[in-house]
Amino acid sequence: MVLTETAPEALPKRRSRWPLFVCLALLAFVVASVLIFKIPEGRNDERLIRLQERVSRLSLPPQTEPDQRAQASMVGLLSGNSNHCDYLVHLALVTKLPDAEIARYFQSVTVEGVEGREISGTVYVNPSGSWRGDGYKGVIVEFFDGGHEAGFDLRCH
């Protein structure tokens, strides 16, 4: 066997693998972030949607109609300053009922909250009337369910 010396230029160049490892690490970080943070957000969004559906199925008192232009719902840290999730659903209505009667109605009606606890609505009456006129006034009924486990949902911290 004869050993020969080969010039370094003739040897095949070995490619560096560090860019591959960096790309794999970044991909792992993105996947882990999605799993850790987006899945809890999706779970809380689903809870909010179910609460909103229960509120929308409520029967309305007489002379009261929904105002679809002002419906809203949200999840996050809405009250206090600690580590918990709050759920809020706004039900916008127009009504001809007196303020006390509409408030009494929604305080007596309960909806199953996020974790099964019964919650009732808080009524806010627009003192300037409604866009509709004809003796109607705008009313917002808030259904608030707060103090639930936040998990890794960043909106609740």
Side-chain angles (χ1 to χ4, degrees):
M1 173 183 223
V2 177
L3 294 175
T4 61
E5 192 172 315
T6 307
E9 307 81 44
L11 291 175
K13 291 191 176 187
R14 184 172 177 186
R15 291 186 175 179
S16 175
R17 295 187 185 212
W18 72 267
L20 174 66
F21 292 129
V22 169
C23 289
L24 288 175
L26 286 173
L27 180 64
F29 176 75
V30 169
V31 168
S33 296
V34 167
L35 291 175
I36 291 173
F37 297 112
K38 289 299 181 185
I39 289 176
E41 283 183 15
R43 182 191 60 159
N44 288 335
D45 288 341
E46 181 63 32
R47 287 176 162 183
L48 179 65
I49 288 168
R50 287 195 306 258
L51 177 61
Q52 189 175 11
E53 287 172 352
R54 288 190 294 272
V55 168
S56 68
R57 287 193 305 256
L58 285 174
S59 61
L60 298 178
Q63 299 179 338
T64 304
E65 299 172 11
D67 181 1
Q68 300 298 331
R69 302 173 312 131
Q71 303 296 338
S73 60
M74 58 190 80
V75 61
L77 185 59
L78 305 175
S79 69
N81 58 0
S82 61
N83 183 20
H84 67 275
C85 264
D86 300 320
Y87 300 83
L88 179 67
V89 175
H90 287 270
L91 180 62
L93 306 170
V94 289
T95 186
K96 286 186 174 182
L97 293 177
D99 298 353
E101 190 174 337
I102 193 83
R104 188 172 36 255
Y105 179 83
F106 280 105
Q107 288 171 350
S108 67
V109 173
T110 59
V111 174
E112 180 184 341
V114 173
E115 293 179 356
R117 178 178 58 193
E118 296 293 320
I119 57 174
S120 60
T122 304
V123 176
Y124 300 96
V125 179
N126 183 357
S128 63
S130 165
W131 57 270
R132 187 165 166 184
D134 300 335
Y136 281 91
K137 58 187 153 205
V139 174
I140 298 290
V141 184
E142 285 186 348
F143 290 88
F144 179 81
D145 193 5
H148 298 282
E149 178 64 34
F152 287 110
D153 189 340
L154 297 177
R155 299 172 296 181
C156 301
H157 292 275

